């Protein structure tokens, strides 16, 4: 069994309120969940309206599949024009960890 996590540190574009922030973050989290069957949520900077931290987690029996899905998630977030991807933190854990 392998588990993998991604943590995206995002700078949001023209956002002036927490309500506008939700209108950007919620669809992004929902698309990650729907498209790649991962667990995803906003996990940090909830009180700042121009910053967001989104966490993604996945469990798989195959390390190659795990890396492939996490790569796709990263490309999806990086391609969104309404957010600027500041950093990505990736962690992979196997049975030996």
């Amino acid at each position: 069994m392998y588990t993998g996590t991604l943590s995206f540190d995002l700078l949001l574009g023209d956002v002036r309120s927490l309500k506008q922030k939700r209108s950007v973050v919620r669809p992004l989290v929902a698309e990650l969940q729907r498209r790649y069957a991962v667990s995803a949520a906003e996990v940090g900077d909830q009180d700042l309206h121009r910053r967001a931290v989104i966490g993604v987690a996945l469990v798989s029996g195959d390390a190659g599949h795990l890396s492939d899905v996490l790569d796709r998630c990263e490309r999806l977030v990086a391609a969104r024009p309404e957010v600027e991807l500041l950093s990505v933190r990736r962690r992979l854990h196997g049975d030996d960890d």
Side-chain angles (χ1 to χ4, degrees):
M1 177 176 75
Y2 299 94
T3 59
T5 61
L6 290 173
S7 178
F8 299 108
D9 186 10
L10 304 174
L11 178 63
L12 306 179
D14 188 28
V15 172
R16 291 185 166 77
S17 69
L18 293 176
K19 185 175 182 179
Q20 286 180 325
K21 177 184 179 177
R22 279 194 312 273
S23 72
V24 172
V25 172
R26 276 186 175 172
L28 180 56
V29 168
E31 186 172 1
L32 285 165
Q33 291 170 335
R34 180 185 53 79
R35 189 178 280 194
Y36 301 113
V38 297
S39 295
E42 183 180 4
V43 296
D45 292 337
Q46 285 95 345
D47 56 342
L48 301 175
H49 62 271
R50 291 212 56 224
R51 296 290 297 268
V53 178
I54 295 178
V56 173
L58 177 65
V59 176
S60 178
D62 178 33
H65 173 71
L66 181 79
S67 291
D68 183 49
V69 172
L70 294 179
D71 287 343
R72 289 181 193 182
C73 289
E74 188 174 340
R75 284 194 298 271
L76 180 122
V77 173
R80 296 295 287 250
E82 67 271 15
V83 300
E84 181 180 339
L85 184 58
L86 299 176
S87 68
V88 179
R89 185 172 185 177
R90 180 184 292 227
R91 291 187 177 157
L92 301 174
H93 302 282
D95 287 334
D96 300 333
D97 295 341

Coordinates of all heavy atoms in Angstrom, one line a residue:
M1 N 0.9 -1.2 0.0 CA 0.0 0.0 0.0 C 0.9 1.2 0.0 O 1.9 1.3 0.7 CB -0.9 0.0 1.2 CG -1.7 1.2 1.3 SD -2.9 1.3 2.7 CE -1.8 1.6 4.0
Y2 N 0.5 2.2 -0.8 CA 1.2 3.5 -0.9 C 0.3 4.6 -0.7 O -0.9 4.6 -1.2 CB 1.9 3.6 -2.3 CG 2.9 2.5 -2.6 CD1 2.5 1.4 -3.3 CD2 4.2 2.6 -2.2 CE1 3.4 0.4 -3.6 CE2 5.1 1.6 -2.5 CZ 4.7 0.5 -3.1 OH 5.6 -0.5 -3.4
T3 N 0.8 5.6 0.0 CA 0.0 6.8 0.2 C 0.8 8.0 -0.3 O 2.0 8.0 -0.2 CB -0.4 7.1 1.7 OG1 0.8 7.2 2.4 CG2 -1.3 5.9 2.2
G4 N 0.1 9.0 -0.9 CA 0.8 10.2 -1.3 C 0.0 11.4 -1.0 O -1.3 11.4 -1.0
T5 N 0.7 12.5 -0.7 CA 0.0 13.8 -0.5 C 0.6 14.9 -1.3 O 1.8 14.8 -1.6 CB 0.0 14.1 1.0 OG1 1.4 14.3 1.5 CG2 -0.7 13.1 1.9
L6 N -0.2 15.9 -1.6 CA 0.3 17.1 -2.2 C -0.2 18.3 -1.4 O -1.4 18.2 -0.9 CB -0.2 17.2 -3.6 CG 0.3 16.3 -4.7 CD1 -0.5 16.6 -6.0 CD2 1.8 16.6 -4.9
S7 N 0.6 19.3 -1.2 CA 0.1 20.5 -0.6 C 0.5 21.6 -1.5 O 1.6 21.9 -1.8 CB 0.9 20.7 0.8 OG 0.5 21.9 1.4
F8 N -0.6 22.3 -2.0 CA -0.4 23.4 -2.9 C -0.5 24.8 -2.2 O -1.5 25.0 -1.5 CB -1.5 23.4 -4.0 CG -1.5 22.2 -4.8 CD1 -2.5 21.2 -4.7 CD2 -0.6 22.0 -5.8 CE1 -2.6 20.1 -5.5 CE2 -0.6 20.9 -6.6 CZ -1.6 19.9 -6.4
D9 N 0.5 25.6 -2.3 CA 0.4 27.0 -1.8 C 0.0 27.9 -2.9 O 0.8 28.0 -3.9 CB 1.7 27.3 -1.2 CG 1.7 28.7 -0.4 OD1 0.6 29.2 -0.2 OD2 2.8 29.2 -0.1
L10 N -1.1 28.5 -2.8 CA -1.7 29.3 -4.0 C -1.8 30.8 -3.6 O -2.2 31.1 -2.5 CB -3.0 28.8 -4.3 CG -3.2 27.3 -4.7 CD1 -4.6 26.9 -4.9 CD2 -2.3 26.9 -5.9
L11 N -1.6 31.6 -4.6 CA -1.9 33.0 -4.6 C -3.0 33.2 -5.5 O -3.0 32.9 -6.7 CB -0.7 33.8 -5.0 CG -0.9 35.4 -5.0 CD1 -1.2 35.9 -3.6 CD2 0.4 36.0 -5.6
L12 N -4.1 33.7 -5.0 CA -5.3 33.9 -5.8 C -5.3 35.3 -6.5 O -4.8 36.3 -6.0 CB -6.6 33.8 -4.9 CG -6.6 32.5 -4.1 CD1 -7.9 32.6 -3.2 CD2 -6.6 31.3 -4.9
G13 N -5.9 35.3 -7.7 CA -5.8 36.5 -8.5 C -6.6 37.7 -7.9 O -6.4 38.1 -6.8
D14 N -7.6 38.2 -8.6 CA -8.4 39.3 -8.2 C -9.5 38.9 -7.2 O -10.7 38.9 -7.6 CB -9.0 40.0 -9.5 CG -9.7 41.3 -9.2 OD1 -9.2 42.0 -8.3 OD2 -10.6 41.6 -9.9
V15 N -9.1 38.7 -6.0 CA -10.0 38.3 -5.0 C -9.9 39.3 -3.9 O -8.9 39.7 -3.4 CB -9.6 36.9 -4.4 CG1 -10.4 36.5 -3.2 CG2 -9.7 35.8 -5.5
R16 N -11.1 39.8 -3.5 CA -11.2 40.9 -2.5 C -11.9 40.5 -1.2 O -12.0 41.3 -0.3 CB -11.8 42.1 -3.1 CG -10.9 42.8 -4.2 CD -11.5 44.1 -4.7 NE -10.6 44.9 -5.4 CZ -10.3 44.7 -6.7 NH1 -10.7 43.6 -7.3 NH2 -9.5 45.5 -7.3
S17 N -12.5 39.3 -1.2 CA -13.2 38.9 0.0 C -13.1 37.4 0.2 O -12.7 36.7 -0.7 CB -14.7 39.3 -0.1 OG -15.3 38.6 -1.1
L18 N -13.5 36.9 1.4 CA -13.5 35.5 1.6 C -14.6 34.8 0.7 O -14.4 33.7 0.3 CB -13.7 35.2 3.1 CG -12.6 35.6 4.0 CD1 -12.9 35.4 5.4 CD2 -11.3 34.9 3.6
K19 N -15.6 35.5 0.5 CA -16.7 35.0 -0.4 C -16.2 34.7 -1.8 O -16.4 33.7 -2.4 CB -17.9 35.9 -0.4 CG -19.1 35.4 -1.2 CD -20.3 36.3 -1.1 CE -21.5 35.7 -1.8 NZ -22.6 36.6 -1.6
Q20 N -15.4 35.7 -2.3 CA -14.8 35.5 -3.7 C -13.8 34.4 -3.6 O -13.6 33.7 -4.6 CB -14.2 36.8 -4.1 CG -15.1 37.9 -4.6 CD -14.4 39.1 -5.0 OE1 -13.4 39.5 -4.5 NE2 -15.0 39.8 -6.0
K21 N -13.0 34.3 -2.5 CA -12.1 33.2 -2.4 C -12.7 31.8 -2.5 O -12.3 31.0 -3.2 CB -11.3 33.3 -1.0 CG -10.4 32.2 -0.8 CD -9.7 32.3 0.6 CE -8.8 31.2 0.8 NZ -8.1 31.3 2.1
R22 N -13.9 31.7 -1.8 CA -14.6 30.4 -1.9 C -15.0 30.1 -3.3 O -15.0 28.9 -3.7 CB -15.9 30.5 -1.0 CG -15.6 30.2 0.5 CD -16.8 29.9 1.3 NE -17.9 30.9 1.1 CZ -18.1 32.0 1.7 NH1 -17.2 32.4 2.6 NH2 -19.1 32.8 1.4
S23 N -15.4 31.1 -4.1 CA -15.8 30.9 -5.4 C -14.7 30.4 -6.3 O -15.0 29.9 -7.4 CB -16.5 32.2 -6.0 OG -15.5 33.2 -6.3
V24 N -13.5 30.6 -5.9 CA -12.3 30.1 -6.7 C -11.9 28.7 -6.1 O -11.6 27.8 -6.9 CB -11.1 31.1 -6.6 CG1 -9.9 30.5 -7.2 CG2 -11.5 32.4 -7.3
V25 N -11.8 28.6 -4.8 CA -11.2 27.4 -4.2 C -12.2 26.2 -4.3 O -11.8 25.1 -4.6 CB -10.8 27.7 -2.7 CG1 -10.4 26.4 -2.0 CG2 -9.7 28.7 -2.7
R26 N -13.5 26.4 -4.0 CA -14.4 25.3 -4.0 C -14.5 24.6 -5.3 O -14.4 23.3 -5.4 CB -15.8 25.8 -3.6 CG -16.0 25.9 -2.1 CD -17.4 26.2 -1.8 NE -17.7 26.1 -0.4 CZ -18.8 26.5 0.1 NH1 -19.8 27.0 -0.6 NH2 -19.0 26.5 1.4
P27 N -14.6 25.3 -6.5 CA -14.6 24.6 -7.8 C -13.3 23.8 -8.1 O -13.3 22.7 -8.6 CB -14.8 25.7 -8.8 CG -15.4 26.8 -8.1 CD -14.9 26.7 -6.7
L28 N -12.2 24.4 -7.6 CA -10.9 23.7 -7.8 C -10.8 22.4 -7.0 O -10.4 21.3 -7.5 CB -9.8 24.6 -7.5 CG -8.3 24.1 -7.6 CD1 -8.1 23.6 -9.0 CD2 -7.3 25.2 -7.2
V29 N -11.2 22.5 -5.8 CA -11.2 21.3 -4.9 C -12.2 20.2 -5.5 O -11.9 19.0 -5.6 CB -11.6 21.6 -3.5 CG1 -11.9 20.4 -2.6 CG2 -10.5 22.4 -2.8
A30 N -13.4 20.7 -5.9 CA -14.4 19.7 -6.4 C -13.9 19.1 -7.7 O -14.1 17.9 -7.9 CB -15.7 20.5 -6.7
E31 N -13.2 19.8 -8.6 CA -12.7 19.2 -9.8 C -11.6 18.2 -9.5 O -11.6 17.1 -10.2 CB -12.2 20.3 -10.7 CG -11.8 19.8 -12.1 CD -11.4 20.9 -13.1 OE1 -11.4 22.1 -12.8 OE2 -11.1 20.5 -14.2
L32 N -10.7 18.5 -8.6 CA -9.7 17.5 -8.2 C -10.4 16.2 -7.7 O -10.0 15.1 -8.1 CB -8.8 18.1 -7.1 CG -7.8 19.1 -7.6 CD1 -7.2 19.8 -6.4 CD2 -6.7 18.4 -8.4
Q33 N -11.4 16.3 -6.9 CA -12.1 15.2 -6.3 C -12.8 14.4 -7.4 O -12.7 13.2 -7.5 CB -13.1 15.6 -5.3 CG -12.4 16.1 -4.0 CD -13.4 16.8 -3.1 OE1 -14.5 17.2 -3.5 NE2 -13.1 16.8 -1.8
R34 N -13.5 15.1 -8.3 CA -14.3 14.5 -9.3 C -13.4 13.8 -10.4 O -13.6 12.7 -10.8 CB -15.2 15.5 -10.0 CG -16.1 14.9 -11.1 CD -16.9 16.0 -11.8 NE -16.1 17.2 -12.2 CZ -15.4 17.1 -13.4 NH1 -15.4 16.1 -14.1 NH2 -14.7 18.2 -13.8
R35 N -12.4 14.5 -10.9 CA -11.6 14.1 -12.0 C -10.7 13.0 -11.6 O -10.4 12.0 -12.4 CB -10.9 15.2 -12.6 CG -10.2 14.9 -13.9 CD -9.5 16.1 -14.5 NE -10.4 16.9 -15.2 CZ -10.1 17.9 -16.0 NH1 -8.8 18.1 -16.2 NH2 -11.0 18.6 -16.6
Y36 N -10.1 13.0 -10.4 CA -9.0 12.1 -10.1 C -9.3 11.2 -8.9 O -8.5 10.4 -8.4 CB -7.7 12.8 -9.8 CG -7.3 13.6 -11.0 CD1 -7.3 15.0 -11.0 CD2 -6.9 13.0 -12.2 CE1 -6.9 15.7 -12.1 CE2 -6.6 13.7 -13.3 CZ -6.5 15.1 -13.3 OH -6.2 15.8 -14.4
A37 N -10.5 11.3 -8.3 CA -10.9 10.4 -7.2 C -9.9 10.5 -6.0 O -9.5 9.5 -5.5 CB -11.1 9.0 -7.6
V38 N -9.5 11.7 -5.7 CA -8.6 12.0 -4.5 C -9.4 12.7 -3.4 O -10.5 13.2 -3.7 CB -7.4 12.8 -5.0 CG1 -6.6 12.1 -6.0 CG2 -7.9 14.2 -5.5
S39 N -8.9 12.6 -2.2 CA -9.4 13.5 -1.2 C -8.7 14.8 -1.3 O -7.5 14.9 -1.4 CB -9.1 12.8 0.2 OG -9.7 11.6 0.3
A40 N -9.5 15.9 -1.2 CA -8.9 17.2 -1.4 C -9.7 18.2 -0.5 O -10.9 18.0 -0.4 CB -9.0 17.7 -2.8
A41 N -9.0 19.2 0.0 CA -9.7 20.2 0.9 C -8.7 21.4 1.0 O -7.5 21.3 0.8 CB -9.9 19.6 2.3
E42 N -9.3 22.5 1.4 CA -8.6 23.7 1.8 C -8.1 23.4 3.2 O -8.9 23.2 4.1 CB -9.4 24.9 1.7 CG -8.6 26.2 2.0 CD -9.4 27.5 1.9 OE1 -10.6 27.4 1.7 OE2 -8.8 28.5 2.1
V43 N -6.8 23.4 3.4 CA -6.2 23.0 4.7 C -5.4 24.1 5.4 O -4.8 23.9 6.4 CB -5.3 21.8 4.5 CG1 -6.1 20.6 4.1 CG2 -4.2 22.0 3.5
G44 N -5.3 25.3 4.8 CA -4.5 26.4 5.4 C -4.9 27.7 4.8 O -5.5 27.9 3.8
D45 N -4.5 28.8 5.6 CA -4.8 30.2 5.2 C -6.2 30.5 4.9 O -6.6 31.3 4.1 CB -3.9 30.6 3.9 CG -2.4 30.6 4.2 OD1 -2.1 30.8 5.4 OD2 -1.7 30.5 3.3
Q46 N -7.1 29.9 5.7 CA -8.5 30.1 5.5 C -9.0 31.5 5.8 O -10.0 32.0 5.3 CB -9.4 29.1 6.4 CG -9.4 27.7 6.0 CD -8.4 26.9 6.6 OE1 -7.4 27.3 7.2 NE2 -8.5 25.6 6.5
D47 N -8.2 32.2 6.7 CA -8.6 33.6 7.0 C -8.0 34.7 6.1 O -8.3 35.8 6.3 CB -8.2 33.9 8.5 CG -6.8 33.7 8.8 OD1 -6.1 33.0 8.0 OD2 -6.3 34.2 9.8
L48 N -7.1 34.3 5.2 CA -6.6 35.2 4.2 C -7.3 35.1 2.9 O -7.5 34.0 2.4 CB -5.1 34.9 4.0 CG -4.2 34.9 5.3 CD1 -2.8 34.5 4.9 CD2 -4.2 36.3 5.9
H49 N -7.7 36.2 2.3 CA -8.5 36.1 1.1 C -7.7 36.0 -0.2 O -8.3 35.7 -1.2 CB -9.5 37.3 1.0 CG -9.0 38.7 1.0 ND1 -8.7 39.4 2.1 CD2 -8.6 39.4 -0.1 CE1 -8.2 40.6 1.7 NE2 -8.1 40.6 0.4
R50 N -6.4 36.3 -0.2 CA -5.7 36.1 -1.4 C -4.7 34.9 -1.4 O -4.0 34.7 -2.4 CB -4.8 37.4 -1.7 CG -5.7 38.5 -2.1 CD -5.1 39.5 -3.0 NE -4.7 38.9 -4.3 CZ -3.6 39.3 -4.8 NH1 -2.7 40.1 -4.3 NH2 -3.2 38.7 -6.0
R51 N -4.7 34.1 -0.3 CA -3.9 32.9 -0.2 C -4.7 31.7 0.1 O -5.8 31.8 0.8 CB -2.8 33.1 0.9 CG -1.8 34.2 0.7 CD -0.8 33.9 -0.5 NE 0.0 32.8 -0.2 CZ 1.2 32.9 0.4 NH1 1.7 34.0 0.8 NH2 1.9 31.8 0.5
A52 N -4.3 30.6 -0.3 CA -5.0 29.3 0.0 C -3.9 28.2 0.0 O -3.0 28.2 -0.8 CB -6.1 29.0 -1.0
V53 N -4.2 27.2 0.8 CA -3.4 26.0 0.8 C -4.4 24.9 0.6 O -5.3 24.7 1.4 CB -2.6 25.8 2.2 CG1 -1.9 24.5 2.1 CG2 -1.6 26.9 2.4
I54 N -4.2 24.1 -0.4 CA -5.0 23.0 -0.7 C -4.2 21.7 -0.6 O -3.1 21.6 -1.1 CB -5.6 23.1 -2.2 CG1 -6.5 24.3 -2.3 CG2 -6.4 21.8 -2.6 CD1 -7.1 24.5 -3.7
G55 N -4.8 20.7 0.2 CA -4.2 19.5 0.4 C -4.9 18.4 -0.4 O -6.1 18.4 -0.5
V56 N -4.1 17.5 -1.0 CA -4.6 16.3 -1.7 C -4.0 15.1 -1.2 O -2.8 15.0 -0.9 CB -4.3 16.5 -3.2 CG1 -4.7 15.2 -4.0 CG2 -5.0 17.7 -3.8
A57 N -4.8 14.0 -1.0 CA -4.3 12.7 -0.5 C -4.9 11.6 -1.4 O -6.0 11.7 -1.9 CB -4.7 12.5 0.9
L58 N -4.1 10.5 -1.5 CA -4.4 9.4 -2.4 C -3.8 8.1 -1.8 O -2.6 8.2 -1.3 CB -4.0 9.6 -3.8 CG -4.2 8.5 -4.8 CD1 -5.7 8.3 -5.1 CD2 -3.5 8.8 -6.1
V59 N -4.5 7.0 -1.8 CA -4.0 5.7 -1.4 C -4.1 4.8 -2.7 O -5.1 4.8 -3.4 CB -4.8 5.1 -0.3 CG1 -4.3 3.7 0.1 CG2 -4.8 6.0 0.9
S60 N -3.0 4.0 -2.9 CA -3.0 3.2 -4.1 C -2.2 1.9 -3.8 O -1.3 2.0 -2.9 CB -2.4 3.9 -5.3 OG -2.3 3.1 -6.4
G61 N -2.4 0.9 -4.5 CA -1.6 -0.3 -4.4 C -0.4 -0.3 -5.3 O 0.4 -1.2 -5.2
D62 N -0.3 0.7 -6.1 CA 0.8 0.7 -7.1 C 1.4 2.1 -7.0 O 0.8 3.1 -7.2 CB 0.2 0.5 -8.5 CG 1.2 0.6 -9.6 OD1 2.4 0.2 -9.4 OD2 0.8 1.0 -10.7
A63 N 2.7 2.1 -6.8 CA 3.5 3.4 -6.7 C 3.5 4.2 -8.0 O 3.4 5.4 -8.0 CB 4.9 3.1 -6.2
G64 N 3.5 3.5 -9.1 CA 3.5 4.2 -10.4 C 2.2 4.9 -10.6 O 2.1 6.1 -11.1
H65 N 1.1 4.2 -10.3 CA -0.2 4.9 -10.5 C -0.4 6.1 -9.5 O -0.9 7.1 -9.9 CB -1.3 3.8 -10.1 CG -2.7 4.4 -10.1 ND1 -3.4 4.8 -11.2 CD2 -3.5 4.7 -9.0 CE1 -4.6 5.3 -10.9 NE2 -4.7 5.2 -9.6
L66 N 0.1 5.9 -8.3 CA 0.1 7.0 -7.3 C 0.8 8.3 -7.9 O 0.3 9.4 -7.9 CB 0.7 6.6 -6.0 CG 0.7 7.6 -4.9 CD1 -0.7 7.6 -4.2 CD2 1.7 7.2 -3.9
S67 N 2.0 8.1 -8.4 CA 2.8 9.2 -8.9 C 2.1 9.8 -10.1 O 2.1 11.0 -10.3 CB 4.2 8.7 -9.3 OG 4.9 8.4 -8.1
D68 N 1.5 9.0 -11.0 CA 0.9 9.5 -12.1 C -0.3 10.4 -11.8 O -0.5 11.5 -12.3 CB 0.4 8.3 -13.0 CG -0.3 8.7 -14.3 OD1 0.3 9.6 -15.0 OD2 -1.3 8.2 -14.6
V69 N -1.1 9.9 -10.8 CA -2.3 10.7 -10.4 C -1.9 12.0 -9.8 O -2.4 13.1 -10.0 CB -3.2 9.9 -9.5 CG1 -4.4 10.8 -8.9 CG2 -3.8 8.7 -10.3
L70 N -0.9 12.0 -8.9 CA -0.4 13.2 -8.3 C 0.2 14.2 -9.3 O 0.0 15.4 -9.2 CB 0.6 12.9 -7.2 CG 0.1 12.1 -6.0 CD1 1.2 11.8 -5.0 CD2 -1.1 12.8 -5.3
D71 N 0.9 13.7 -10.3 CA 1.4 14.5 -11.4 C 0.2 15.2 -12.1 O 0.3 16.4 -12.4 CB 2.2 13.7 -12.4 CG 3.6 13.3 -11.8 OD1 4.0 13.9 -10.8 OD2 4.2 12.4 -12.4
R72 N -0.8 14.5 -12.4 CA -2.0 15.0 -13.1 C -2.6 16.1 -12.2 O -3.1 17.2 -12.7 CB -3.0 14.0 -13.4 CG -2.5 13.0 -14.5 CD -3.6 12.0 -14.8 NE -3.1 10.9 -15.6 CZ -3.8 9.9 -16.0 NH1 -5.1 9.8 -15.7 NH2 -3.3 9.0 -16.7
C73 N -2.8 15.9 -10.9 CA -3.3 16.9 -10.0 C -2.5 18.2 -10.0 O -3.1 19.3 -10.1 CB -3.4 16.3 -8.6 SG -4.6 15.0 -8.4
E74 N -1.2 18.0 -10.0 CA -0.3 19.2 -10.0 C -0.4 19.9 -11.3 O -0.5 21.2 -11.3 CB 1.1 18.7 -9.8 CG 2.1 19.8 -9.6 CD 3.5 19.4 -9.2 OE1 3.7 18.2 -8.8 OE2 4.4 20.2 -9.4
R75 N -0.5 19.2 -12.4 CA -0.7 19.9 -13.7 C -2.0 20.7 -13.8 O -2.1 21.8 -14.4 CB -0.6 18.9 -14.9 CG 0.9 18.5 -15.2 CD 1.0 17.8 -16.5 NE 0.3 16.6 -16.6 CZ 0.7 15.4 -16.2 NH1 1.9 15.3 -15.7 NH2 0.0 14.3 -16.3
L76 N -3.1 20.1 -13.3 CA -4.4 20.7 -13.3 C -4.4 22.0 -12.5 O -4.8 23.1 -13.0 CB -5.5 19.8 -12.7 CG -6.8 20.4 -12.7 CD1 -7.8 19.5 -13.5 CD2 -7.3 20.5 -11.3
V77 N -3.8 22.0 -11.3 CA -3.7 23.2 -10.5 C -2.8 24.3 -11.2 O -3.2 25.5 -11.2 CB -3.3 22.9 -9.1 CG1 -3.1 24.2 -8.3 CG2 -4.3 22.0 -8.4
A78 N -1.7 23.9 -11.7 CA -0.8 24.8 -12.3 C -1.4 25.4 -13.6 O -1.0 26.6 -13.9 CB 0.5 24.1 -12.7
A79 N -2.3 24.8 -14.2 CA -2.9 25.3 -15.5 C -4.1 26.2 -15.2 O -4.5 26.9 -16.2 CB -3.4 24.1 -16.3
R80 N -4.5 26.4 -14.0 CA -5.7 27.3 -13.7 C -5.2 28.7 -13.8 O -4.3 29.1 -13.1 CB -6.2 27.0 -12.3 CG -6.8 25.6 -12.1 CD -8.0 25.4 -13.0 NE -9.2 26.1 -12.5 CZ -10.3 25.5 -12.0 NH1 -10.3 24.2 -11.8 NH2 -11.3 26.2 -11.6
P81 N -5.8 29.5 -14.6 CA -5.4 30.9 -14.8 C -5.8 31.8 -13.6 O -5.1 32.8 -13.4 CB -6.1 31.4 -16.1 CG -7.3 30.5 -16.2 CD -6.9 29.2 -15.5
E82 N -6.7 31.4 -12.8 CA -7.1 32.3 -11.7 C -6.3 32.1 -10.5 O -6.5 32.9 -9.5 CB -8.6 32.1 -11.4 CG -9.0 30.7 -10.8 CD -9.3 29.7 -11.8 OE1 -9.0 29.9 -13.0 OE2 -9.8 28.6 -11.4
V83 N -5.4 31.2 -10.5 CA -4.5 31.0 -9.3 C -3.0 31.0 -9.8 O -2.7 30.6 -10.9 CB -4.8 29.7 -8.5 CG1 -6.2 29.7 -8.0 CG2 -4.5 28.5 -9.3
E84 N -2.1 31.4 -8.9 CA -0.7 31.3 -9.2 C -0.2 30.3 -8.2 O -0.3 30.4 -7.0 CB 0.0 32.6 -9.0 CG 1.5 32.6 -9.2 CD 2.1 33.9 -9.0 OE1 1.4 35.0 -9.0 OE2 3.4 33.9 -8.8
L85 N 0.4 29.2 -8.7 CA 1.0 28.2 -7.9 C 2.4 28.6 -7.3 O 3.3 28.7 -8.1 CB 1.1 26.9 -8.7 CG 1.6 25.6 -8.0 CD1 0.7 25.3 -6.8 CD2 1.7 24.5 -9.0
L86 N 2.4 28.9 -6.0 CA 3.7 29.3 -5.4 C 4.6 28.2 -5.1 O 5.8 28.3 -5.3 CB 3.4 30.2 -4.2 CG 2.5 31.4 -4.4 CD1 2.2 32.1 -3.0 CD2 3.2 32.4 -5.3
S87 N 4.1 27.1 -4.6 CA 4.9 25.9 -4.2 C 4.0 24.7 -4.1 O 2.8 24.8 -3.9 CB 5.7 26.1 -3.0 OG 4.8 26.2 -1.8
V88 N 4.7 23.5 -4.3 CA 4.0 22.3 -4.1 C 4.9 21.4 -3.3 O 6.1 21.3 -3.5 CB 3.9 21.5 -5.5 CG1 3.2 20.2 -5.3 CG2 3.1 22.4 -6.5
R89 N 4.3 20.8 -2.3 CA 5.0 19.9 -1.4 C 4.4 18.5 -1.6 O 3.2 18.3 -1.5 CB 4.9 20.3 0.0 CG 5.7 19.5 1.0 CD 5.7 20.1 2.3 NE 6.6 19.4 3.2 CZ 6.8 19.7 4.5 NH1 6.2 20.7 5.0 NH2 7.6 19.0 5.2
R90 N 5.3 17.5 -1.9 CA 4.9 16.1 -2.2 C 5.5 15.2 -1.2 O 6.7 15.3 -1.0 CB 5.3 15.8 -3.6 CG 4.8 14.4 -4.0 CD 5.4 14.0 -5.4 NE 4.7 14.8 -6.4 CZ 4.2 14.4 -7.6 NH1 4.3 13.1 -7.8 NH2 3.6 15.2 -8.4
R91 N 4.7 14.3 -0.7 CA 5.2 13.2 0.2 C 4.6 11.9 -0.3 O 3.4 11.8 -0.6 CB 4.7 13.5 1.6 CG 5.4 14.7 2.2 CD 5.1 14.8 3.7 NE 5.8 15.9 4.3 CZ 5.4 16.5 5.4 NH1 4.3 16.1 6.0 NH2 6.1 17.5 5.9
L92 N 5.5 10.9 -0.4 CA 5.1 9.5 -0.7 C 5.5 8.6 0.4 O 6.6 8.7 0.9 CB 5.7 9.1 -2.0 CG 5.5 9.9 -3.2 CD1 6.3 9.5 -4.4 CD2 4.0 9.9 -3.6
H93 N 4.6 7.7 0.8 CA 4.9 6.7 1.9 C 4.5 5.4 1.4 O 3.5 5.1 0.8 CB 4.1 7.0 3.1 CG 4.3 8.4 3.7 ND1 5.4 8.7 4.4 CD2 3.6 9.6 3.5 CE1 5.3 10.0 4.7 NE2 4.2 10.5 4.2
G94 N 5.4 4.4 1.6 CA 5.2 3.0 1.3 C 5.1 2.1 2.5 O 5.1 2.6 3.6
D95 N 5.0 0.8 2.3 CA 4.9 -0.1 3.4 C 6.1 -0.1 4.3 O 6.0 -0.4 5.5 CB 4.7 -1.5 2.9 CG 3.3 -1.7 2.3 OD1 2.4 -1.0 2.8 OD2 3.1 -2.6 1.5
D96 N 7.2 0.3 3.8 CA 8.5 0.3 4.5 C 8.6 1.5 5.5 O 9.5 1.5 6.3 CB 9.7 0.2 3.6 CG 9.7 -1.0 2.7 OD1 9.1 -2.0 3.2 OD2 10.3 -1.0 1.6
D97 N 7.8 2.5 5.3 CA 7.9 3.8 6.1 C 7.3 3.6 7.4 O 6.4 3.0 7.7 CB 7.3 4.9 5.4 CG 8.0 5.3 4.1 OD1 9.1 4.9 3.9 OD2 7.3 5.9 3.2

